[in-house]
Amino acid sequence: MKAMYLAVALLLAATAGAQAGNGAADSDAQVRINQIQVIGSHNSYHAGLLPGVRAFLEKEKPASLRGLDYAHQPLDKQFDGGMRQIELDIFADSKGGHYAHPAGPAAEEAAGVPVDQNFSGVNSDVILKPGFKVMHVQDLDQHSSCQPFTACLTIVREWSKAHPRHLPIFVLVETKQGKPLDIPHATTPEPFTAATFDELDHEIRSVFSANEMITPDDMRGTYATPNEAARAGAWPTLEVARGKVIFLMDQRSVGPLYLEGHPNLQGRVLFTNAAPGQPDAAFTEENDGTEAEIAALVRQGYLVRTRTDADTKEGRSGSTPRRDHAMASGAQILSTDYPKAEPATWTGYFVSFTDGAMARCNPVARDAACNDGALMGDR
């Protein structure tokens, strides 16, 4: 009799498991990527300040030190912890070696602080070769957990291949070309041109094959523009998007240059950060938008990124209103310097959903089929 009861129990458990699995599959077939919400990291490559840099900033630029005083784990460790968005800042280096001789060490020496050795933190061959370099501020805050850009992408791809059921990973790319720092012999960044953006797409495609990404062409489908597709709710379903990577452009100002020769992002890899209503607008950033403003965009079908904290202010104060409003806004991508696995040392401030989850069904654009518990069954 006991054996019969055990057999029945096992059968019921197996049936329940199968039904749960089918339910997750059914959910994935209905829920679109703009109907979920994920947490990601800001300046994900940032490995922290070198000792000499920290001492220099503390002495010469204390206000800047406050805003730069954070660090992240390596990219793959962040993915292990549930992060599904990363940000990579890139500097163009078409000939190689443009950032091989940073002015930082000389500035440290002049300030009378310890001079950092191996300032760029990588083998000299890497910094001397052509290709985009990943760092925050040239000459000063160059310490990255991965270098060059293609090496960072390779880490993403290897983790993705090892976890083929993961929620889509959003890679936000910021193209850095700002003015040099106010220090002697500062490096002027190489400007981005239409040819530079062609090379950017080429570098990404050298790591990821077409079937490993979701591009504007994939999303647009039969619609005339990305904006029309977004407003029609034509984002891919999770069934299509799991195991894939989606590239997003950070600055709105470079969008027109990226669009040159590629109307409506035809043939491009990245989604531009476009003003809502523009033909290329499917993704947009609202880092300072109000909860109501962001929610309105989410309801219109746009994919929105916002920040839950900035410049270490919330990390130092423990203040949570900005975080809470960002979560409630429905912005699909919430960027933070303090994910659950990396709380602020000053206050313990961190960003996660209920019970430490790093993804959930979207509170504004939720599909009835979405199940919070099934979203992260991807590791």
Side-chain angles (χ1 to χ4, degrees), residues 33-305:
I33 63 175
N34 65 314
Q35 295 174 321
I36 64 172
Q37 199 173 42
V38 301
I39 294 172
S41 54
H42 165 248
N43 290 345
S44 313
Y45 58 88
H46 200 251
L49 298 171
L50 295 173
V53 171
R54 177 181 291 279
F56 171 80
L57 290 174
E58 190 169 25
K59 183 175 183 179
E60 302 291 337
K61 301 176 184 290
S64 296
L65 174 60
R66 288 178 62 86
L68 298 174
D69 196 9
Y70 62 92
H72 291 300
Q73 300 178 87
L75 300 182
D76 54 346
K77 298 300 182 183
Q78 294 184 49
F79 296 143
D80 287 342
M83 306 292 270
R84 292 297 178 266
Q85 177 261 314
I86 60 171
E87 178 184 352
L88 301 175
D89 290 355
I90 60 171
F91 288 76
D93 191 9
S94 58
K95 297 180 180 178
H98 192 75
Y99 306 97
H101 305 288
E108 292 171 343
E109 184 176 14
V113 301
V115 177
D116 292 310
Q117 303 301 313
N118 191 17
F119 192 83
S120 297
V122 293
N123 184 293
S124 60
D125 289 344
V126 172
I127 210 72
L128 289 172
K129 290 181 178 178
F132 296 98
K133 303 304 186 292
V134 176
M135 52 194 180
H136 191 219
V137 181
Q138 77 277 18
D139 293 319
L140 198 64
D141 192 9
Q142 294 194 187
H143 194 38
S144 172
S145 65
C146 53
Q147 193 72 268
F149 181 54
T150 51
C152 300
L153 297 184
T154 298
I155 294 171
V156 178
R157 184 178 185 273
E158 289 177 350
W159 189 92
S160 176
K161 300 302 286 185
H163 303 81
R165 291 293 301 159
H166 67 76
L167 288 176
I169 293 173
F170 299 96
V171 180
L172 187 68
V173 178
E174 180 174 352
T175 54
K176 303 295 284 281
Q177 47 188 328
K179 293 180 180 180
L181 295 169
D182 184 22
I183 57 177
H185 310 295
T187 305
T188 300
E190 181 179 321
F192 277 69
T193 65
T196 311
F197 281 120
D198 289 342
E199 182 59 27
L200 173 58
D201 280 2
H202 173 73
E203 283 206 7
I204 294 172
R205 287 189 172 115
S206 75
V207 176
F208 290 96
S209 62
N211 64 0
E212 294 170 341
M213 300 184 289
I214 292 173
T215 67
D217 287 338
D218 298 322
M219 180 265 184
R220 188 177 59 251
T222 59
Y223 290 93
T225 67
N227 186 65
E228 287 185 18
R231 296 294 296 269
W235 289 100
T237 63
L238 293 185
E239 185 176 63
V240 172
R242 281 193 184 274
K244 296 185 179 180
V245 178
I246 302 170
F247 288 89
L248 311 169
M249 187 78 76
D250 184 46
Q251 302 98 320
R252 185 167 292 176
S253 60
V254 299
L257 193 59
Y258 190 66
L259 285 164
E260 282 189 12
H262 299 268
N264 300 317
L265 294 172
Q266 293 173 12
R268 283 304 198 188
V269 172
L270 293 90
F271 288 86
T272 45
N273 168 16
Q278 291 298 306
D280 57 318
F283 164 68
T284 190
E285 289 189 13
E286 288 292 337
N287 293 327
D288 299 310
T290 67
E291 180 180 327
E293 289 168 342
I294 294 173
L297 293 172
V298 171
R299 291 190 184 98
Q300 292 174 51
Y302 293 110
L303 189 74
V304 184
R305 179 257 196 174

